Amino acid sequence: MTAPAILPSVAGLRDAVSIWRAGGLPVALVPTMGALHEGHLALVHAARAHGGRTVVSLFVNPTQFAPGEDFALYPRDEADDLAKLAAAGVDAVFMPPTEAVYPPGFATTVTVDGVSAGLEGAARPHFFAGVATVVTKLLLQCLPDVALFGEKDYQQLIVVRRLVADLDIPCRIEAVPTVRAADGLALSSRNAYLSADERRIAPRLFQVLSGMAAALAGGAAAADQIADGTATLEAAGFTRIDYLAVCDAETLEAVDRVSGPARVLAAAWLGETRLIDNVPVSPAGRAG
Ligand code: PAF
């Protein structure tokens, strides 16, 4: 096991990437905020499958947290993250200090209209500008051939695809399926906030989404499924539901009845912890 190179500066990252590229090796980037779990490691494994060099960025991006959100509390364990990345065979870890990403005088924000507006964008209006800005920066700092994002943050994946296309960033965006615990709960760094009781209830979210997806695939109306799903989540102990929606898988526009690839997406609270999840819906007889 070789320890990955730790790269704190953009210049160091660019040097490493240009040497690899001159050697004919493709470069894959996995952007993360640390607190790594098997979901992140699935992204790393998919990155390594490209057969070139793999860079993981570790940066808890302050601009995607609103004042009063969990930026200060967000789980951080650098030593554990680095040990996991070394074991996973990562070549380099880009760990910029905040000033390298947001130097004094920084005044540019990337906003993505349309696909950013609903769902997470409605519940957390600051969020996607922060994500789009930092992802744009990370892609331009690293200039990877491919960058990998988890389907767990499905809307983020769609927003990133949009900005890469709109800004002509020469990088492929690859989606990696959500990794789940044995009981179905989507892995997330924020699961660490759940109490034992909340952790017991949490898998209900995936169960409800999966039940809705099956009914929608069979032709059920979205409005009925959303009403039933909301009632079931509330009865299970979810304390607040930011959204439960059925959307077109590409445009994220709400659909009344599924006739092409779609997604059921939700954000719901258990006490102080906000969980998000989503599942695909494939209408009968079609791939989704
Ligand atoms: O999904 C995340 O961990 C973050 O939103 C990302 C893409 C690393 C940007 O900070």
Side-chain angles (χ1 to χ4, degrees), residues 49-251:
H50 286 277
R53 293 287 186 248
T54 300
V55 181
V56 173
S57 61
L58 291 185
F59 179 66
V60 185
N61 174 36
T63 64
Q64 67 191 75
F65 295 79
E69 288 191 343
D70 58 343
F71 175 68
L73 291 177
Y74 195 82
R76 292 164 171 86
D77 190 342
E78 200 176 294
D80 186 61
D81 288 345
L82 291 176
K84 285 174 175 157
L85 294 176
V90 163
D91 298 287
V93 183
F94 179 48
M95 299 176 63
T98 304
E99 318 79 74
V101 181
Y102 300 113
F106 186 85
T108 301
T109 300
V110 178
T111 56
V112 180
D113 291 338
V115 289
S116 284
L119 309 169
E120 288 299 291
R124 305 178 66 199
H126 58 285
F127 177 66
F128 281 122
V131 168
T133 302
V134 81
V135 169
T136 301
K137 290 208 62 156
L138 290 168
L139 294 177
L140 294 176
Q141 288 168 337
C142 183
L143 291 175
D145 298 280
V146 58
L148 296 98
F149 290 83
E151 288 184 347
K152 154 85 173 25
D153 296 291
Y154 189 79
Q155 190 179 11
Q156 168 174 277
L157 169 69
I158 299 294
V159 168
V160 169
R161 283 197 197 285
R162 184 75 263 155
L163 78 85
V164 163
D166 288 355
L167 299 178
D168 302 314
I169 298 176
C171 170
R172 267 178 304 117
I173 301 301
E174 188 172 306
V176 176
T178 303
V179 178
R180 299 183 180 281
D183 59 12
L185 176 65
L187 298 192
S188 162
S189 306
R190 288 188 169 102
N191 292 350
Y193 301 154
L194 295 168
S195 69
D197 266 2
E198 290 164 349
R199 176 63 188 79
R200 209 172 20 76
I201 299 168
R204 293 292 286 141
L205 184 58
F206 175 60
Q207 290 162 13
V208 167
L209 297 184
S210 302
M212 289 175 67
L216 291 157
D224 295 342
Q225 288 304 307
I226 291 168
D228 289 356
T230 302
T232 307
L233 288 174
E234 285 170 352
F238 282 85
T239 43
R240 191 168 108 211
I241 297 166
D242 281 349
Y243 58 84
L244 177 58
V246 183
C247 297
D248 179 275
E250 277 181 28
T251 64

